[in-house]
């Protein structure tokens, strides 16, 4: 079994945003074409602890090189105050011939980048009606929004004005400085907003990636025609959801676990407020321009097939380049058909 640590994964994926975008896009299309198997994610929670959780995402992704496996990802927000990443993850990939595990891959970078690629694909599939968009707002200054910015700039390099906001002012400033250092070429400007409301109205492209557990933000502060990439899923109030044009990755998956979209479904009793899935938009021959009068809200639950797609890319590149560590003796040795059973 091949094991690939975080350094291996980063070495393979760095600078390959286009390949990751293509892998994620293909996974969405295969899911839309019913070439996947995607059980509901399993949430492991703990007595007297409503903040922390571990989630299991089993999945099968069909195609010429089918993949099966599972991501096991922990979210412990308190880690941030201790200088650790909020999320940690492992992805296991199984052989489709024998079912045996063939690779164990560190998953936090894969998880962050497939999430960011999903947001970037939505931004590309839902351009503004007038075609003019030069800035982006990022609310929540953590790993996910940094990757969202990286992938947005891969598909929308014209974004030159970047506004950021976080409840922790020091965190926002550190994010601004890092973003300016990495993405500040060609005259890009990165600034910190004074409030979430000011950030929300700064541009018509907004990414929400926070650790919010309950909705707190309506979308009345958005400019008409704003696309909100609701990556963290629980920021927007029910009223905000119902006032928007809603796009999701998968309605069955996103309408659970007390997401904003789930709460809206509970309020109205059906899912008629969901306009489309991202897979449907990617399948369309031309982009679906946003409504000019109200916000468009993209709420991606995060599908396990996306993790498999990117992990499969990593595994293929690792094998070709001889990267990673082979673990021998992990599984039982094959039985010798000529041996006589003891006793």
């Amino acid at each position: 079994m091949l094991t690939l640590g975080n350094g291996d994964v980063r070495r393979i994926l760095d600078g390959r945003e286009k390949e990751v975008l293509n892998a994620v896009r293909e996974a969405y299309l295969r899911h839309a074409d019913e070439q996947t198997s995607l059980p509901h994610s399993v949430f492991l929670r703990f007595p007297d602890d409503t903040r922390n959780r571990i989630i299991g995402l089993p999945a099968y992704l069909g195609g010429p090189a089918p993949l099966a496996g599972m991501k096991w990802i922990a979210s412990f927000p308190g880690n941030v105050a201790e200088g650790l990443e909020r999320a940690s993850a492992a992805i296991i990939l199984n052989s489709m011939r024998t079912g045996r595990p063939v690779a164990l891959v560190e998953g936090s970078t894969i998880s962050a980048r497939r999430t960011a690629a999903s947001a970037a694909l939505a931004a590309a599939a839902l351009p503004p009606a007038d075609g003019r968009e030069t800035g982006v707002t990022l609310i929540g200054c953590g790993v996910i929004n940094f990757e969202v910015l990286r992938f947005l700039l891969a598909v929308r390099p014209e974004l030159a004005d970047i506004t950021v906001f976080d409840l922790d002012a020091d965190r926002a400033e550190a994010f601004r400085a890092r973003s300016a250092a990495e993405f500040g070429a060609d005259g890009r400007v990165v600034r910190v907003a004074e409030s979430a409301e000011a950030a929300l109205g700064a541009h018509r492209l907004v990414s929400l990636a926070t650790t919010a557990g309950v909705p707190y933000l309506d979308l009345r502060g958005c400019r008409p025609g704003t696309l909100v990439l609701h990556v963290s899923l629980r920021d927007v109030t029910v009223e905000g959801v119902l006032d928007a044009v809603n796009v999701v990755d998968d309605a069955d998956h996103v309408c659970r676990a007390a997401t904003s979209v789930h709460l809206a479904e509970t309020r109205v009793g059906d899912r008629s407020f969901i306009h489309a899935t991202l897979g449907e938009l990617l399948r369309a021959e031309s982009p679906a321009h946003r409504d000019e009068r109200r916000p468009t809200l993209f709420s991606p639950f995060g599908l396990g097939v996306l993790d498999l797609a990117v992990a499969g890319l990593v595994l293929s590149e690792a094998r070709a380049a001889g990267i990673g560590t082979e673990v021998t003796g992990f599984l039982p040795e094959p039985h010798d058909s000529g041996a006589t059973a003891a006793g």
Side-chain angles (χ1 to χ4, degrees), residues 72-151:
W72 184 242
I73 182 165
S75 175
F76 279 58
N79 284 353
V80 175
E82 299 181 19
L84 301 173
E85 299 292 345
R86 173 188 62 82
S88 58
I91 298 172
I92 191 162
L93 297 174
N94 296 77
S95 164
M96 287 304 302
R97 185 177 66 84
T98 66
R100 293 183 139 217
V102 294
L104 177 65
V105 186
E106 197 283 324
S108 64
T109 296
I110 289 173
S111 187
R113 297 192 185 184
R114 66 81 152 148
T115 301
S118 175
L121 288 169
L126 290 161
D130 61 12
R132 296 194 302 272
E133 194 156 68
T134 59
V136 58
T137 288
L138 304 140
I139 297 178
C141 293
V143 171
I144 298 299
N145 254 345
F146 193 82
E147 294 297 340
V148 168
L149 180 56
R150 183 197 308 279
F151 278 81

Side-chain angles (χ1 to χ4, degrees), residues 2-340:
L2 186 67
T3 61
L4 296 163
N6 181 262
D8 299 325
V9 174
R10 286 184 174 276
R11 188 157 63 253
I12 291 168
L13 291 183
D14 282 353
R16 287 182 166 163
E17 287 78 25
K18 296 294 187 183
E19 292 171 70
V20 173
L21 284 161
N22 288 338
V24 171
R25 185 179 189 276
E26 186 64 24
Y28 272 125
L29 293 175
R30 293 197 182 282
H31 185 57
D33 291 342
E34 300 183 347
Q35 297 181 42
T36 63
S37 180
L38 199 62
H40 281 308
S41 304
V42 177
F43 285 72
L44 177 63
R45 298 188 182 274
F46 314 103
D48 304 318
D49 180 357
T50 60
R51 194 180 188 196
N52 299 318
R53 64 179 187 245
I54 308 177
I55 309 173
L57 290 80
Y60 164 78
L61 177 62
L67 294 165
M70 180 170 178
K71 179 175 75 172
W72 184 242
I73 182 165
S75 175
F76 279 58
N79 284 353
V80 175
E82 299 181 19
L84 301 173
E85 299 292 345
R86 173 188 62 82
S88 58
I91 298 172
I92 191 162
L93 297 174
N94 296 77
S95 164
M96 287 304 302
R97 185 177 66 84
T98 66
R100 293 183 139 217
V102 294
L104 177 65
V105 186
E106 197 283 324
S108 64
T109 296
I110 289 173
S111 187
R113 297 192 185 184
R114 66 81 152 148
T115 301
S118 175
L121 288 169
L126 290 161
D130 61 12
R132 296 194 302 272
E133 194 156 68
T134 59
V136 58
T137 288
L138 304 140
I139 297 178
C141 293
V143 171
I144 298 299
N145 254 345
F146 193 82
E147 294 297 340
V148 168
L149 180 56
R150 183 197 308 279
F151 278 81
L152 282 175
L153 293 177
V155 299
R156 304 288 296 278
E158 70 275 14
L159 296 174
D161 193 352
I162 301 163
T163 300
V164 305
F165 175 78
D166 195 281
L167 291 175
D168 185 328
D170 291 339
R171 187 174 170 84
E173 174 55 31
F175 188 97
R176 184 208 63 76
R178 184 184 176 200
S179 299
E182 185 151 346
F183 308 120
D186 302 321
R188 288 196 186 100
V189 176
V190 188
R191 65 193 84 220
V192 177
E194 295 183 355
S195 67
E197 291 72 19
L200 198 63
H203 307 290
R204 291 188 300 168
L205 180 60
V206 177
S207 176
L208 300 173
T210 75
T211 58
V214 294
Y216 64 95
L217 189 67
D218 62 43
L219 301 181
R220 288 178 294 179
C222 290
R223 298 182 186 183
T226 294
L227 171 62
V228 179
L229 306 169
H230 191 198
V231 175
S232 41
L233 290 174
R234 295 171 180 84
D235 301 79
V236 179
T237 62
V238 169
E239 292 75 17
V241 173
L242 297 178
D243 287 341
V245 176
N246 286 277
V247 177
V248 301
D249 53 1
D250 183 290
D252 285 336
H253 284 260
V254 79
C255 287
R256 62 193 302 261
T259 66
S260 294
V261 177
H262 184 202
L263 297 178
E265 178 197 32
T266 302
R267 171 84 62 87
V268 302
D270 58 47
R271 300 174 182 175
S272 59
F273 60 90
I274 297 177
H275 175 262
T277 67
L278 180 56
E280 292 168 344
L281 297 183
L282 294 175
R283 178 65 71 205
E285 294 183 359
S286 58
H289 292 288
R290 304 173 208 162
D291 190 309
E292 295 180 330
R293 298 164 297 170
R294 55 182 178 150
T296 297
L297 186 66
F298 174 56
S299 301
F301 191 74
L303 306 179
V305 290
L306 308 183
D307 298 290
L308 289 190
V310 180
L313 171 64
V314 168
L315 180 58
S316 176
E317 294 293 333
R319 284 174 168 164
I323 296 173
T325 302
E326 286 284 356
V327 176
T328 59
F330 180 76
L331 295 170
E333 293 297 326
H335 293 297
D336 182 351
S337 59
T340 302

